[in-house]
Amino acid sequence: MTLIKKANIAQILALSLAISSCTKEIKKVELTDAQLPKNVLPIVKPASEENTPLTADYIAAKKAKIETFYNKNWPNNSMNGSFLVAQNGQILFEKYNGLANFRDKDSITSNTPIHLASVSKVLTATIILKLVNAKRLDLDQKVTTLLKNFPYPEVTVRMLLNHRSGIRNYSYFTDRKANTWDRHKTLTNQDVLNIMTTHDLGLEYKTGTRFQYCNTNYAMLALIVEKVTQLSFKEAMHKMVFEPLGMKHSFVFDIKTDKKNIAPSYKGNKVEIGIDYLDAVYGDKNIFSTPRDMLKFDLARNSGKFVEPALWAQVFKPYSNERKGTKNYGLGIRMLNWETGQNFYFHNGWWHGYTSSYITLPKEKVMIIALSNKMTRNTYAVRKLAKLFGDYPFKLEDEE
C-alpha cells in the first residue's frame, strides 16, 4: 500500500509539473496583430532586444565630431530647439537650447514637446501599417469603402500613403481665392472631406499616374484611422503608439484644449506666429514630441517586430519613379536611392515657424532628429551627419 501511495504521489507531482510547464509555455505565446480579437487594438511594442553597447572611445570620437558640426551649424548656441543623435539605442549627443516661449522665457529642455510638422506623417503611417498588419485594413483597399462619399473612386490607402492619389491640397482649395471655405472658421479633417464631396474640385492629375506630395492624403488617412478604430485620432495615437512606448511628452494637438499650453512657433526675428484656420487638421501634421520620445519610437519601428517583414519591405519601396533621380517616397517616409545601392531614409517638416528633420538609418541603427520652433532651414542640415556612420554622399563640411 505504501509503495502504491508513493507511486501515486510521484505521478501527481509529475503531472503537476507537466501542467505547470504547459501553463508557462502558454503564457509565452504572443498573439500576432492578425490574431488579435477585433475589439483589441494592435499596438506598437517597445524594442525588446538589447543592442551591442558602444565603447567609450567610439562614443567620445563620434560626440566630438557631432559637437563640431553643431557649433558650425548653430554658431553661438543659436539653435532654438532640440537635437539628438543616437546609435544602438544609446544617445551619442543631445542639445536643448533657446526658449519654448519668448514671452514667458521658458527654456527648451529634453521634456519640451515641439511640433513635428510633416514628420507627423511618419507616425500617421505607423498607425495605418499596424491596422494593415492586423487585417483591419488593406493597403490596396479603395478609400470609398472606408470614407462615406469620398469622391475619387480609384484612390486606395496605399496611394494616400505614397502620395499618388492625385487629390488636391486642402490648404490651396480652402484659400481665400478658392471661395470654398470661410477662413474665419476653423477647418477640420471632416470639413476637408465634405468640401471635396460637395465641390467639383477635380483631381490634380489622374490617380496612380505620378507622385505629388499632398497634405490632404494624410488628413484622409487620419479619418480612416478614426473609422477603423472607432476612436478619435488623438486617442488612437495615444493608445496605439504613445502609451505603449512610454512617449510621455508626445500628443496630437487639440486646438480647443492645447493652444495655450504648447511651445508656439516664431519667425526668424522672434515674432510669434499665431494659430490659424488650418491648425485643427491632423494626420499630415499636428503631433508634438521630443527627441527622446522619438528615439523610443524609432527603436520600436526598427525592432523587427513592428509589422510582418513583407509589409515592412513595402514601406521602403520607392513609389515615385516617373523621373530618373535619387529622390523618392515610400509609405510615409522620404528616401534617397543612389545607383550605388545605398539608401537614405528621412522625413522633413515645416509648419508656420516649426521645422523638423527625422533621419532613420536602420542598417547602422542610427537615429538623428532636430526640432525647432523658430524658423530656420539649418534644421535640415543634420542629414550631413549620416556621413559619420556610413557611405552616404554628403559633405560634412559643406555649409550650404
Side-chain angles (χ1 to χ4, degrees), residues 13 24 46 67 83 133 135 183 198 263 285 290 292 303 311 332 351 357 378 396:
L13 286 171
K24 287 178 182 177
E67 190 163 22
F83 170 57
N133 205 53
K135 308 300 183 188
R183 285 157 52 102
T198 57
K285 61 182 187 311
T290 67
R292 290 187 184 183
S303 67
L311 177 56
W351 182 247
S357 185
N378 288 7
L396 198 56

Side-chain angles (χ1 to χ4, degrees), residues 112-123:
T112 303
I114 295 178
H115 200 300
L116 295 181
S118 281
V119 173
S120 301
K121 291 180 174 70
V122 183
L123 286 94

